[in-house]
Amino acid sequence: MKMRAPWLGAILAALLTATAGCRLASTPDASTDGMSELQAEIQNMLAGGARAFNEGRLDAFMGDYYRSPNTTYIGGRGLVHGYDQIRERYESWFEPDAERDSLSFEDLEARRLGAMYSLVTGRWLIHTGEEVAASGPFSLVLRRVEGGWKIIHDHSSTDTD
């Protein structure tokens, strides 16, 4: 007769409870255009953020980020910790006399990481007139909060030639 560790059953039960209802990837929900509800929510959120950026409204642009010292951003200049520090990183783009091009997003894909979290990947583009001046891939980890989704981690890269 094999002896099992007495704690093994408790660990398995805890894991099953913790992962109940979690999906690693979302499947499209039934909708008129075939887009999942999650994808549509996040696309609308990011479109609003792009409008705020293009109109020079820093506080509205930062409204997509979770207001926490634990929110993080990784870009070409390294890791930034905290909502306030991320806001500081963007401030120069929003100065009254700053030259600002227009921001858009494409190739968005959203996947659920459980009921409270999702992973979003896509591309950001900065346009100067009709030309793309800069672009790159990004990944976001979002947390469901009252009122919608908020970015808790942003990793944005720049394409290189």
Side-chain angles (χ1 to χ4, degrees), residues 42-130:
I42 292 171
Q43 185 170 345
N44 288 336
M45 179 189 96
L46 292 175
R51 272 192 308 279
F53 179 92
N54 297 340
E55 294 168 0
R57 297 181 298 122
L58 175 59
D59 289 333
F61 174 76
M62 287 300 299
D64 289 345
Y65 287 86
Y66 190 59
R67 191 178 285 262
S68 166
N70 296 321
T71 299
T72 52
Y73 173 89
I74 297 176
R77 290 183 261 158
L79 176 63
V80 178
H81 289 277
Y83 175 91
D84 293 334
Q85 289 73 23
I86 295 168
R87 188 181 189 288
E88 284 177 22
R89 182 195 175 282
Y90 282 115
E91 278 181 340
S92 65
W93 290 58
F94 290 86
E95 305 245 339
D97 58 346
E99 212 173 289
R100 185 176 27 267
D101 298 320
S102 85
L103 172 66
S104 66
F105 299 101
E106 66 181 24
D107 300 331
L108 296 176
E109 291 183 22
R111 293 179 278 167
R112 287 201 186 275
L113 301 175
M116 299 290 292
Y117 298 94
S118 63
L119 172 66
V120 178
T121 57
R123 296 187 57 71
W124 59 268
L125 298 100
I126 296 287
H127 304 269
T128 302
E130 296 295 315

